[in-house]
Amino acid sequence: QIQADANISKEEQQKAESNLAAKTSVFVETQQTYAAEMAKFNDNQRHYFTHHLYGLITDLEMVDRRRAQITQDLLTKCADLGDSLSKQVTDSSQSLRKTVARIDPEEDCRAVLKTKKTEYLYPVDLPFLNLSQCTQATLENQSALVALMLGSTNGTTTKAPSEKVTKGLHSIFNRTKNQA
């Protein structure tokens, strides 16, 4: 179009042609860069979906399998503990049944009557102690405070029954208490 126009000088024609050539060159270069970038993007995307995404899914599957295995292990341990506790509860129940079977109410009654009729000494009533009249040293020393309250150290001496009871609640709990 510029060459057909007679009003345009030769110099302007060359300038317009060089601009056209430069723009055409930039267009072709941009087109090639775009094509190269698009090919690189497509290669990267293809590589991601065929390798990286596959690896990610494989890793997630492995984590899920590990989680499932850990869950199974924990549930199995819970079941084993339940079985163990069930056995212990059963053993305790059987032991309790045996202990209850050993209780003899008549023997308990005789033991209570015997302790009430013998020379069993009960603890004495504790006297009122006016703490405002006590020295600071007495208040800080527990054994001195108790001795002061009782009046003597022999105030709680008791006589044990001479005959051992073999049956009943008193014998069961006294034996347990004495053994501890």
Side-chain angles (χ1 to χ4, degrees):
Q1 182 185 20
I2 292 176
Q3 293 173 351
D5 193 356
N7 295 336
I8 299 177
S9 67
K10 202 78 149 141
E11 190 175 293
E12 286 182 10
Q13 280 183 353
Q14 285 179 344
K15 187 176 179 183
E17 287 176 5
S18 75
N19 277 344
L20 180 62
K23 286 182 180 182
T24 303
S25 171
V26 168
F27 174 74
V28 169
E29 187 178 313
T30 303
Q31 196 176 27
Q32 290 172 350
T33 303
Y34 172 74
E37 288 294 323
M38 204 50 154
K40 183 178 174 185
F41 174 80
N42 287 335
D43 287 344
N44 286 339
Q45 181 173 304
R46 197 174 308 110
H47 183 69
Y48 174 79
F49 281 103
T50 57
H51 294 89
H52 293 302
L53 192 60
Y54 176 76
L56 177 65
I57 291 172
T58 303
D59 290 346
L60 289 174
E61 286 175 346
M62 187 181 341
V63 167
D64 189 56
R65 282 189 195 109
R66 222 176 321 147
R67 182 198 52 78
Q69 183 62 43
I70 289 170
T71 303
Q72 276 183 320
D73 291 345
L74 288 174
L75 290 174
T76 302
K77 285 180 184 178
C78 287
D80 291 346
L81 287 173
D83 291 344
S84 174
L85 287 176
S86 174
K87 182 181 181 319
Q88 290 176 354
V89 168
T90 302
D91 292 348
S92 295
S93 295
Q94 290 172 352
S95 176
L96 181 62
R97 285 186 208 291
K98 289 177 185 176
T99 302
V100 167
R102 290 181 18 213
I103 295 175
D104 183 0
E106 295 297 321
E107 192 64 35
D108 285 340
C109 186
R110 281 192 291 278
V112 168
L113 290 175
K114 183 174 181 171
T115 57
K116 298 292 181 187
K117 290 182 176 181
T118 61
E119 297 173 19
Y120 181 80
L121 301 176
Y122 298 98
V124 296
D125 291 339
L126 296 177
F128 174 78
L129 182 62
N130 190 349
L131 297 177
S132 64
Q133 294 178 354
C134 294
T135 64
Q136 186 66 28
T138 303
L139 291 174
E140 291 175 357
N141 185 345
Q142 187 178 7
S143 60
L145 190 59
V146 170
L148 182 63
M149 288 174 74
L150 296 177
S152 72
T153 56
N154 294 330
T156 60
T157 305
T158 59
K159 182 178 178 184
S162 60
E163 182 180 319
K164 292 203 173 204
V165 179
T166 58
K167 292 183 177 179
L169 286 174
H170 287 282
S171 64
I172 292 171
F173 290 115
N174 282 341
R175 191 174 328 123
T176 305
K177 187 176 166 184
N178 292 338
Q179 289 173 353

